[in-house]
Amino acid sequence: MPRPSTRLAASCRRRAWASAVLAVALIAVAAAVSGCATSTAAGRPGATAGIGRSHSITGAGGHLGPSASRPAPPRHPDTPAYPELLHSPPSGPTRFTPTVHWHGQYPIWVSRTAAGAILVSLNQKYLTLELHSGTVDAGPTGWRWGPEVAPAQRPSLMAAFNGGFMLNTGAGGFFSYGRTAVPLRRGLASIVTYANGTTDIGAWDEGIPARGEKVVSVRQNLTLLINGGHINPSVSCIQCWGATLGGVNAPARSALGITADGHLVWAGGMSLTPLGLAQTLLGAHVVRAIQLDINPEWVAFDLYSRGHNPAAVTPVPFVPGQQGVPGQFLTPYNRDFFSVQAR
């Protein structure tokens, strides 16, 4: 029969072994809970990198820089049969916030910088661009999309924005559905839309168009403002980026860029230098960009709200201080422009 001291030692060893097993179990449970939390966070909107995520006010000049997460989109249990504008233009600096709801998704997000510029992120998975001719540029008839957003287009209309310089300035070409208004030129910044509904931005015949893709429209304007994530070194030459009304250095300016993952980003404001415009786009992770029209009369980005009639759209200007285009792209306009249509 074991002595009492022997029994006591054995009992202590059993208790120590049980404590060790319990500690290991608790560690495993904690790890599992932590793993679940990480997985849930990764599944939230904004957990992955790219445009459309939240932005905070950082960096030189008060531009919006990337932050680690974005606010979760609002819940919308009812899916409307038309694109739904969620809110009015931001009154002050904001992160990217969901702005248009469509079939349970949020294809358009908007932010505003401290300098008053607007950034609009466009998710091409849910929308497409249509290049419209104007009554003067490129003429009122014979084009696939004419000088206004036609009533048949309005049920799917999300937004519209200005095109480039007038075609008689020699800033670039215009092509739409097999018809050319002004010949395209190699090396110029180009907005290229393909038959599959996607759009790319780059230097014509220097990387675009993509091999094997049918091109349906091209709008050119100057050289690339941003290429490969780098700002064009000529931005210090104000005159190189268009004549400004009154000779001011920082008039209204606009541009369209594209991110590495294919989101389009429109940027514009009522007081921007070429450098300021480019820096604003870089803050939204744009890798290539084309400057569009400049000066207050010709810079506009409108989103559209609706009542119960999907075709009865109401334009909502989104650029702070925007003078607006007469008719806001719903009546014939003399210059070319782009409409943003739901897929």
Side-chain angles (χ1 to χ4, degrees):
M1 181 177 183
R3 292 193 301 269
S5 60
T6 304
R7 290 197 300 271
L8 180 60
S11 175
C12 288
R13 286 193 297 271
R14 287 193 297 272
R15 285 196 298 271
W17 181 83
S19 297
V21 170
L22 179 60
V24 170
L26 289 173
I27 291 171
V29 170
V33 171
S34 174
C36 288
T38 302
S39 175
T40 302
R44 288 200 312 265
T48 57
I51 224 11
R53 67 182 181 179
S54 171
H55 288 69
S56 58
I57 305 167
T58 60
H63 299 303
L64 294 177
S67 66
S69 62
R70 72 181 182 190
R75 292 182 177 273
H76 288 271
D78 298 324
T79 300
Y82 50 85
E84 178 187 13
L85 181 62
L86 299 179
H87 59 79
S88 58
S91 58
T94 62
R95 300 179 175 190
F96 271 106
T97 55
T99 305
V100 172
H101 177 232
W102 171 242
H103 283 182
Q105 304 296 328
Y106 300 89
I108 297 181
W109 295 60
V110 172
S111 75
R112 177 174 171 173
T113 72
I118 286 290
L119 287 159
V120 185
S121 170
L122 306 169
N123 187 337
Q124 296 199 73
K125 184 176 180 181
Y126 307 106
L127 54 80
T128 188
L129 297 190
E130 293 175 352
L131 174 61
H132 291 250
S133 66
T135 58
V136 175
D137 280 354
T141 60
W143 299 97
R144 178 65 171 267
W145 309 115
E148 64 182 295
V149 179
Q153 294 174 277
R154 295 179 189 181
S156 61
L157 178 64
M158 292 182 172
F161 58 89
N162 57 275
F165 291 176
M166 293 194 73
L167 296 176
N168 63 9
T169 63
F174 184 106
F175 167 87
S176 177
Y177 287 85
R179 184 181 178 191
T180 299
V182 174
L184 304 176
R185 289 157 51 193
R186 179 182 176 89
L188 292 190
S190 304
I191 301 171
V192 179
T193 300
Y194 300 111
N196 63 12
T198 63
T199 294
D200 200 358
I201 295 169
W204 184 253
D205 272 347
E206 296 178 4
I208 59 168
R211 181 174 298 178
E213 293 289 348
K214 181 182 178 181
V215 174
V216 295
S217 70
V218 183
R219 181 56 161 105
Q220 296 185 317
N221 204 58
L222 306 174
T223 56
L224 286 171
L225 180 63
I226 297 173
N227 192 13
H230 299 287
I231 297 174
N232 191 318
S234 72
V235 290
S236 58
C237 170
I238 301 296
Q239 295 77 14
C240 296
W241 296 91
T244 65
L245 297 180
V248 299
N249 290 341
R253 291 185 190 272
S254 61
L256 186 68
I258 192 166
T259 65
D261 59 0
H263 283 72
L264 297 173
V265 181
W266 187 93
M270 289 296 106
S271 181
L272 287 168
T273 63
L275 176 60
L277 181 60
Q279 289 175 331
T280 299
L281 287 162
L282 284 183
H285 312 291
V286 162
V287 294
R288 295 181 302 281
I290 175 176
Q291 182 185 272
L292 296 174
D293 220 340
I294 65 174
N295 294 310
E297 288 84 348
W298 305 302
V299 172
F301 193 102
D302 290 305
L303 288 156
Y304 297 89
S305 64
R306 293 169 173 81
H308 296 295
N309 181 358
V313 296
T314 300
V316 182
F318 256 69
V319 182
Q322 174 179 317
Q323 294 187 12
V325 167
Q328 296 175 292
F329 307 112
L330 300 178
T331 61
Y333 180 49
N334 64 349
R335 298 192 179 211
D336 63 275
F337 66 93
F338 290 90
S339 64
V340 181
Q341 302 286 337
R343 284 182 181 266

